[in-house]
Amino acid sequence: MISGRVEKVKPSATLDITAKAKAMKEKGEDVISLGAGEPDFDTPEHIKSALYEAVKQGFVYYTPAAGIIELREAISEKFEKDNNIRYDPVNEIIVTPGAKQALYEAIVALVNPGDEVLIPDPWWVSYVPMVQLAEGRAVFVPTYEEEKFKLTPEVLQEKVTRKTKVLIINSPNNPTGAVLEKEDLKGISEICIDNDILVISDEIYEHIIYDVKHYSIASFDEMKERTITVNGFSKAYSMTGWRLGYAAGPSNIIKAMIRVQSHSVSNATSFVQKAGIAALKGPQDCVKEMNMEFKKRRDTIVKMLNNIDLVSCVEPGGAFYAFPNFSNYDKNSFKLANFLLEKAKVALIPGGAFGEQGEGFLRLSYATSMENIKEGVRRIQEALEKNG
Ligand SMILES: Cc1ncc(COP(=O)(O)O)c(C=O)c1O
């Protein structure tokens, strides 16, 4: 009864363990969660006020499918200021209910059945299902701990075929925290230009970055015309539940995405769009403060993980995840995550949920209090030393 397309899409491999952790918590067990994929801060007050005001003023109706023009203008200004790219707010920008919807619309708009989509492995859990729903073929490009999980042009080139249409990149990366620097992006751009590959660049963690500057691949020569840059408000402004994101790219692709959006979700919620203007145009101290807190936590969690015997953890340059190698304890990350949930009462995500290259690793989110981080890692270390 269910279509072949949807049958193919598997539920997230993390559901089991998160359901188990939830059940344990409900029974009153003291479970520490290092599994969250969202900031633990409240949305800044001035953004909330803009939403209340919009509702009070009756801004409660459908908007243009592409989003209200004031927000698209604010996004265009943001791209110019932060990323050094000029996008026309009328033709080259779409506002979406979350970055996830923008990614989905870009993939549906570009991928024909059988087209190959290159995805660096480990990969964020929704890319492959989205490609499957478009009946495309996901082709994995391995990234390695030894290279800090950066996508390298050499490995990328090996995976290019005549059927390659799109490359998805995500920097800073979920789950590895890897950041692609200027030189990395230059090498990747050259391959995309030489092989006529379109790029979907997921930059949702742009502002959660610690030691280096974020670069958008669309700002490189000859890349703007082949790149759809996806971003949003969830992570930078702690607005995951608000569902607000956007994409910018060539007008013909944005137009196609608007078509998909207008026939599916219509538009991002009207008053949430008004709050988005306040986020982009208001004070940015909140973004910096959250970033500083995440950096302190990153330094702590990475140090503690590297202090565990036989564990190695690459220092993540961005996002809020540590991705340590626990393969000396168990090569099966699902088994190890279950063991740690039962024995240490710590919930985390098995690296295998993010693809073959993630096997043997665990994803620990540090979007939680310093106290939870310290106690969580202490418990992991104790459980491994006792039973390891
Ligand atoms: C890599 C990546 N891209 C996109 C998203 C989706 O973001 P949004 O909440 O804007 O849909 C997430 C959320 O976890 C993510 O980790």
Side-chain angles (χ1 to χ4, degrees):
M1 185 231 288
I2 305 299
S3 71
R5 260 190 331 273
V6 173
E7 274 295 355
K8 240 195 208 165
V9 173
K10 294 196 189 81
S12 168
T14 62
L15 282 184
D16 253 10
I17 196 143
T18 35
K20 208 162 147 190
K22 189 164 171 262
M24 284 168 70
K25 270 190 197 165
E26 279 167 8
K27 272 201 290 175
E29 293 192 53
D30 167 31
V31 175
I32 292 182
S33 178
L34 300 179
E38 57 186 347
D40 53 320
F41 305 108
D42 196 3
T43 304
E45 212 49 52
H46 67 280
I47 301 176
K48 289 185 182 173
S49 300
L51 175 131
Y52 303 145
E53 195 51 38
V55 174
K56 257 195 240 156
Q57 303 223 339
F59 196 72
V60 294
Y61 302 105
Y62 292 132
T63 74
I68 54 177
I69 189 65
E70 303 93 300
L71 178 54
R72 281 182 281 153
E73 279 165 355
I75 293 166
S76 170
E77 284 162 23
K78 178 251 172 254
F79 272 117
E80 197 165 347
K81 180 167 64 77
D82 294 348
N83 313 105
N84 197 26
I85 321 168
R86 277 170 179 258
Y87 284 114
D88 168 15
V90 177
N91 297 304
E92 295 181 323
I93 291 175
I94 178 172
V95 176
T96 56
K100 196 181 249 189
Q101 182 69 15
L103 289 162
Y104 183 63
E105 288 169 7
I107 289 169
V108 168
L110 295 177
V111 176
N112 278 313
D115 282 346
E116 292 182 359
V117 178
L118 298 171
I119 302 178
D121 182 357
W123 41 274
W124 176 56
V125 291
S126 290
Y127 297 140
V128 173
M130 286 178 187
V131 170
Q132 287 170 333
L133 288 171
E135 299 188 35
R137 203 167 89 77
V139 174
F140 300 109
V141 189
T143 64
Y144 301 95
E145 184 184 21
E146 299 72 36
E147 274 147 358
K148 293 186 165 180
F149 294 106
K150 284 188 190 190
L151 173 67
T152 63
E154 297 72 30
V155 184
L156 177 62
Q157 181 68 62
E158 280 170 24
K159 298 289 176 182
V160 174
T161 73
R162 286 209 335 268
K163 290 189 182 159
T164 306
K165 183 155 185 193
V166 177
L167 162 69
I168 301 178
I169 57 171
N170 170 220
S171 172
N173 185 276
N174 177 6
T176 65
V179 172
L180 294 170
E181 295 183 53
K182 200 173 178 183
E183 280 311 302
D184 305 314
L185 290 168
K186 191 161 183 300
I188 295 167
S189 308
E190 281 161 11
I191 292 177
C192 294
I193 295 164
D194 289 349
N195 296 281
D196 197 17
I197 299 170
L198 295 160
V199 178
I200 298 175
S201 180
D202 177 352
E203 301 180 14
I204 189 83
Y205 293 99
E206 167 181 16
H207 290 298
I208 305 175
I209 190 163
Y210 310 115
D211 315 304
V212 292
K213 184 173 153 37
H214 170 84
Y215 284 92
S216 289
I217 199 164
S219 68
F220 288 69
D221 284 349
E222 294 177 61
M223 286 306 291
K224 188 185 159 201
E225 56 264 39
R226 59 176 64 257
T227 304
I228 299 103
T229 307
V230 174
N231 208 326
F233 296 77
S234 287
K235 318 284 174 172
Y237 300 98
S238 200
M239 291 173 67
T240 50
W242 296 58
R243 313 309 303 129
L244 192 63
Y246 52 91
S251 61
N252 59 333
I253 301 176
I254 295 297
K255 230 186 244 164
M257 290 171 65
I258 295 171
R259 234 180 299 158
V260 178
Q261 179 149 294
S262 74
H263 290 303
S264 50
V265 294
S266 291
N267 56 261
T269 304
S270 54
F271 40 85
V272 171
Q273 292 187 53
K274 288 278 190 189
I277 300 172
L280 290 178
K281 296 203 147 202
Q284 302 298 304
D285 319 8
C286 50
V287 180
K288 288 197 196 98
E289 279 160 23
M290 287 190 247
N291 204 49
M292 269 160 54
E293 183 56 35
F294 279 134
K295 186 174 190 300
K296 275 192 230 154
R297 296 174 184 178
R298 186 231 15 202
D299 292 346
T300 301
I301 199 166
V302 171
K303 195 163 157 215
M304 286 184 78
L305 286 164
N306 277 318
N307 274 339
I308 304 178
D309 204 23
L310 304 175
V311 169
S312 57
C313 182
V314 168
E315 181 165 84
F320 39 67
Y321 310 103
F323 202 63
N325 184 342
F326 276 82
S327 60
N328 285 324
Y329 286 96
D330 200 325
K331 295 211 175 341
N332 183 329
S333 59
F334 292 89
K335 246 175 71 192
L336 186 60
N338 267 300
F339 165 82
L340 291 173
L341 180 59
E342 278 162 23
K343 297 283 182 225
K345 306 225 186 303
V346 177
L348 34 71
I349 311 290
F354 305 98
E356 214 171 286
Q357 290 300 115
E359 204 32 287
F361 293 78
L362 296 171
R363 192 194 77 176
L364 284 72
S365 163
Y366 48 90
T368 185
S369 68
M370 195 65 110
E371 192 189 344
N372 276 348
I373 291 168
K374 286 185 180 164
E375 175 59 11
V377 182
R378 191 198 64 75
R379 287 189 195 178
I380 293 171
Q381 180 163 17
E382 188 180 66
L384 292 175
E385 283 171 1
K386 259 196 210 150
N387 303 275

